[in-house]
Amino acid sequence: MDISPKLVDLKLRLTQIQTKLNPEDLARRIRELEAKSTHQDFWSDATSAQATMKLLAELKNQSADLASLQLELSDLEGLTDLMPDDPQLEKDAQKIEKKLNKLEIK
């Protein structure tokens, strides 16, 4: 089964998500929040500190998800070139699609 059209679609969707989430901006915001969390008075307002830490965790997860999807998609593309008729490729593409769906919802 040729999954090339599906690969093109997955790459396009990942590019759109990356444009929306902007990995460089994510990294900058993560650095800023990490720096903020090291300030001496950070925990003086526990509610604000907890909200900041929650946001930091969410941003780190998004950044890791983007990097992971990029790698998985690149690997799938390489495997498709090597073994275009392997039925496992379709399953792998479906897994990537589910992960993209989750990111698109955020």
Side-chain angles (χ1 to χ4, degrees):
M1 173 178 215
D2 182 22
I3 67 164
S4 296
K6 185 165 204 94
L7 271 177
V8 170
D9 178 59
L10 294 175
K11 286 168 57 174
L12 175 64
R13 289 173 59 193
L14 180 59
T15 300
Q16 290 170 339
I17 291 168
Q18 288 172 323
T19 299
K20 178 183 170 192
L21 294 180
N22 190 347
E24 292 81 19
D25 188 48
L26 274 177
R28 180 189 52 76
R29 291 176 62 201
I30 288 168
R31 285 191 306 273
E32 288 172 358
L33 291 174
E34 286 174 337
K36 181 179 179 181
S37 72
T38 63
H39 288 152
Q40 194 171 9
D41 62 342
F42 177 71
W43 287 101
S44 62
D45 180 353
T47 304
S48 175
Q50 287 174 342
T52 298
M53 296 306 290
K54 182 179 178 183
L55 177 59
L56 178 59
E58 289 172 8
L59 294 176
K60 283 183 172 183
N61 284 338
Q62 285 180 353
S63 181
D65 289 347
L66 279 175
S68 173
L69 275 169
Q70 181 71 46
L71 182 60
E72 288 177 44
L73 197 49
S74 177
D75 288 348
L76 181 60
E77 194 171 21
L79 288 171
T80 301
D81 290 340
L82 294 173
M83 305 175 296
D85 297 325
D86 188 339
Q88 181 63 38
L89 297 177
E90 177 64 31
K91 293 176 186 174
D92 292 345
Q94 289 173 354
K95 288 178 188 176
I96 292 171
E97 186 170 26
K98 285 181 184 178
K99 292 178 182 180
L100 284 171
N101 289 342
K102 287 180 184 178
L103 275 178
E104 287 173 333
I105 292 171
K106 290 183 180 182

